[in-house]
Amino acid sequence: MAGTAEGKARAAGSVLLTLCAAQFLMILDSSVMNVSMATVANDLDTNVEGIQTAITLYTLVMAAFMITGGKIGEIMGRKRALAIGCVVYGCGSFITAISPNLPVLLLGWSCIEGLGAALILPTIVALVASNFGRSERPRAYGLVAAAAAIAVAVGPIVGGLFTTYLSWRWVFAGEVLIVVVILVRARRMAEGPRRQGVRLDYVGTALSALGLGMIVFGVLRSGTWGLVKPKPGAPEWLGLSPTIWLLLGGAAVIALFFAWEQRMLARGSEPLVDPAILRVPVLRAGLSSFFFQYFLQGGLFYAVPLFLSVGLGLSAIETGVRLLPLSLTLILTAAGVPKLWPNASPRRVVQVGFLVLGVGLVILVAALDAGAGAEIVTWPMLLAGIGIGALASQLGSVTVSSVPDEQSGEVGGLQNTGTQLGASIGTAVAGAILISALTASFFTGVENNPAVPDSVVQNAQTKLGGGVPFISDKDLKTALDDANVPPATADAVLSANEQARIDGLRTALSALALVALLGLTVARGIPTVQPGSSEAQANAPPQQAAPAPA
């Protein structure tokens, strides 16, 4: 009997390791590419803007097709969907590794890998549900979510090492090998429930992809184009920034999508997403909490690396090392909370997670100052890791357990769509707030400094009307020297720039701390008992979600 139990535990561990590896792989690409943009651009004979377009398109494809990916996994079976997704993703990685130019990179990475990830990520959620009992899911989901956050944190180290000593191409070549390992190990997984005779809703697929794509693209371009008022040099649609039109248009298309889904149900056809699923209060609270978690995570991983790499001039490897405390406490918390406190209130754990994450942000805001070194991020990163780990330990299990297991694929699609939206919007909002505050602080600093002539101030306001860039003192000094700016004036501008960077970071991080408080409010809808516990089963209503149509 002991041997059987040990064998089951070993098998469960193998399944969990495989799913964590798949989750890690899906997130690693972007964080590696972010620190390798200049090198990749040079190798492909393009510019940094071209590589940023590739990163944007990768996020766009994933977000647009995530709901569809979850439904495909439900129709064809999760193991088969995972296998096909891995093959697609591996082909994309191979094409990316041998890319001779930007168009091939866009095809291999942004499109093919993005489609593979859109099929794999929802399937991971469903496979956890089919391979682990409800009491085991908090730990399993926590470790899978930890794998994603760790990929973000170690990506700069991996990217820096490969870019510096080998080539960025070896990262993608290595992914092909990892995909092969995942394919081999995935054969041991349990399949889970599978729907028979279900057809894909092609109109719903097109509408959801278009609506989500418009929203995500608008968010990602908001920093360049402006949210409502166009920035200098940005396109203009009917006197407004294209961003606001994309957001409004995307929302309208999503409303049309849900109207179409209701029509499909009324006709007795299979919808892409049953709108009734979003009327489950626990699921709504879980998805909203996921959104806020990734909003905060996206903003944090935008602001802190900027401070370390641009503000302090650290290399990509050094920046990644400074983020490792977050990875350490994140994985310990994500795995430790379910193990040490298996009957803890999910609501309490999630609220504590948002609170600790907010405290870490406040400490970082207080520690930021001119002359501050990289060591000030250590404690905030430790606390942020605890907070994110606490959220990760509960939210996946809460969302999937709020509906019958056969709907876990739909939940996986919705969950990953929410996280993509959260990360995109969090990064965009943090960036917009940072640049706005930096710009205001910089102009105030130079206007009030007698060493800066009025002509210089007016010239700066004209050329930098769209926003002062987040630039290092070294790069700014080089630009001032090239412009033959007098030393006294240059010193005054450098001082204003240093203070403006700090003010921008403080403002952005303060806004994120306020969002953490909003997360506390959203978490009130999380249940107080663990999914799968005897108490939860005793209190569960007879039907938690509308049954999927036959």
Side-chain angles (χ1 to χ4, degrees):
M1 187 69 70
T4 303
E6 184 179 342
K8 288 183 178 179
R10 195 160 43 241
S14 175
V15 169
L16 184 56
L17 180 62
T18 302
L19 294 175
C20 286
Q23 183 80 28
F24 180 89
L25 199 60
M26 298 302 99
I27 308 301
L28 182 67
D29 275 2
S30 295
S31 55
V32 167
M33 194 65 80
N34 278 329
V35 301
S36 307
M37 283 193 294
T39 303
V40 177
N42 184 60
D43 284 354
L44 300 182
D45 195 24
T46 183
N47 51 35
V48 172
E49 287 72 22
I51 306 304
Q52 288 175 330
T53 299
I55 295 173
T56 299
L57 186 58
Y58 179 63
T59 303
L60 191 66
V61 170
M62 280 200 297
F65 292 99
M66 204 68 75
I67 293 176
T68 303
K71 194 65 174 182
I72 291 174
E74 182 183 341
I75 294 172
M76 69 169 51
R78 279 63 185 258
K79 285 177 64 173
R80 183 181 296 179
L82 178 67
I84 293 175
C86 283
V87 171
V88 172
Y89 191 89
C91 290
S93 296
F94 178 76
I95 292 172
T96 304
I98 61 172
S99 299
N101 50 46
L102 181 60
V104 177
L105 180 77
L106 291 171
L107 172 65
W109 185 49
S110 305
C111 296
I112 298 179
E113 282 195 51
L115 289 172
L119 195 57
I120 292 170
L121 286 169
T123 305
I124 291 173
V125 176
L127 284 170
V128 170
S130 60
N131 283 270
F132 296 90
R134 293 190 176 228
S135 62
E136 301 171 305
R137 288 177 192 171
R139 177 175 175 271
Y141 281 119
L143 289 174
V144 168
I150 291 170
V152 176
V154 304
I157 299 178
V158 174
L161 286 172
F162 275 86
T163 302
T164 303
Y165 299 109
L166 293 170
S167 168
W168 60 272
R169 298 179 185 274
W170 284 105
V171 175
F172 293 92
E175 287 186 349
V176 177
L177 298 178
I178 297 174
V179 162
V180 172
V181 173
I182 292 172
L183 282 170
V184 173
R185 297 176 67 95
R187 293 182 298 175
R188 304 174 185 178
M189 297 181 187
E191 176 65 70
R194 180 177 175 181
R195 305 285 298 282
Q196 298 294 331
V198 178
R199 300 177 62 184
L200 186 63
D201 173 14
Y202 293 104
V203 174
T205 294
L207 289 174
S208 66
L210 178 61
L212 290 169
M214 291 172 68
I215 291 172
V216 172
F217 185 65
V219 168
L220 293 173
R221 298 298 296 173
S222 61
T224 303
W225 290 344
L227 181 58
V228 179
K229 182 181 177 181
K231 289 188 175 183
E236 182 178 309
W237 295 355
L238 300 178
L240 299 175
S241 167
T243 299
I244 191 65
W245 292 115
L246 286 169
L247 296 178
L248 292 173
V253 174
I254 292 297
L256 183 61
F257 162 71
F258 280 111
W260 172 261
E261 299 301 280
Q262 289 286 11
R263 181 184 177 189
M264 292 283 288
L265 281 170
R267 291 164 45 186
S269 301
E270 175 76 14
L272 187 66
V273 173
D274 184 354
I277 200 174
L278 294 176
R279 293 197 289 269
V280 179
V282 172
L283 179 61
R284 284 204 312 271
L287 293 176
S288 299
S289 297
F290 260 121
F291 174 85
F292 279 104
Q293 175 193 336
Y294 277 81
F295 184 106
L296 293 167
Q297 204 170 298
L300 186 67
F301 278 113
Y302 171 82
V304 174
L306 266 185
F307 167 68
L308 295 171
S309 61
V310 178
L312 300 182
L314 270 61
S315 67
I317 299 173
E318 292 169 329
T319 298
V321 169
R322 286 293 175 178
L323 297 176
L324 284 181
L326 182 146
S327 299
L328 176 65
T329 52
L330 192 155
I331 194 168
L332 289 175
T333 307
V337 169
K339 186 174 181 63
L340 298 176
W341 298 283
N343 297 317
S345 164
R347 182 189 300 173
R348 183 66 56 83
V349 175
V350 170
Q351 288 179 328
V352 169
F354 278 122
L355 183 61
V356 173
L357 184 50
V359 170
L361 289 165
V362 170
I363 291 175
L364 186 54
V365 170
L368 278 171
D369 201 355
E375 68 280 354
I376 68 166
V377 307
T378 301
W379 280 104
M381 289 298 96
L382 287 169
L383 290 173
I386 293 172
I388 296 172
L391 295 169
S393 73
Q394 306 296 317
L395 291 181
S397 180
V398 164
T399 56
V400 175
S401 299
S402 65
V403 299
D405 282 353
E406 56 266 24
Q407 291 182 294
S408 59
E410 286 184 55
V411 172
L414 291 169
Q415 177 180 304
N416 281 284
T417 299
T419 59
Q420 290 293 324
L421 286 173
S424 300
I425 295 174
T427 303
V429 169
I433 293 175
L434 187 153
I435 295 301
S436 177
L438 183 153
T439 300
S441 175
F442 178 79
F443 285 138
T444 300
V446 295
E447 285 172 358
N448 295 334
N449 195 316
V452 182
D454 291 340
S455 58
V456 173
V457 174
Q458 292 171 2
N459 188 40
Q461 289 175 335
T462 300
K463 292 185 176 181
L464 302 175
V468 176
F470 195 94
I471 187 173
S472 68
D473 290 339
K474 178 182 177 181
D475 290 342
L476 179 58
K477 188 176 189 310
T478 300
L480 293 171
D481 290 343
D482 291 344
N484 296 317
V485 175
T489 301
D491 289 342
V493 172
L494 285 168
S495 177
N497 180 62
E498 182 180 15
Q499 185 59 48
R501 280 202 314 264
I502 297 298
D503 291 342
L505 286 165
R506 277 179 172 166
T507 306
L509 292 169
S510 297
L512 292 176
L514 292 175
V515 172
L517 292 179
L518 289 177
L520 284 172
T521 303
V522 170
R524 293 172 61 185
I526 300 293
T528 57
V529 295
Q530 283 291 338
S533 66
S534 56
E535 185 178 355
Q537 292 173 0
N539 296 332
Q543 186 67 49
Q544 295 187 27

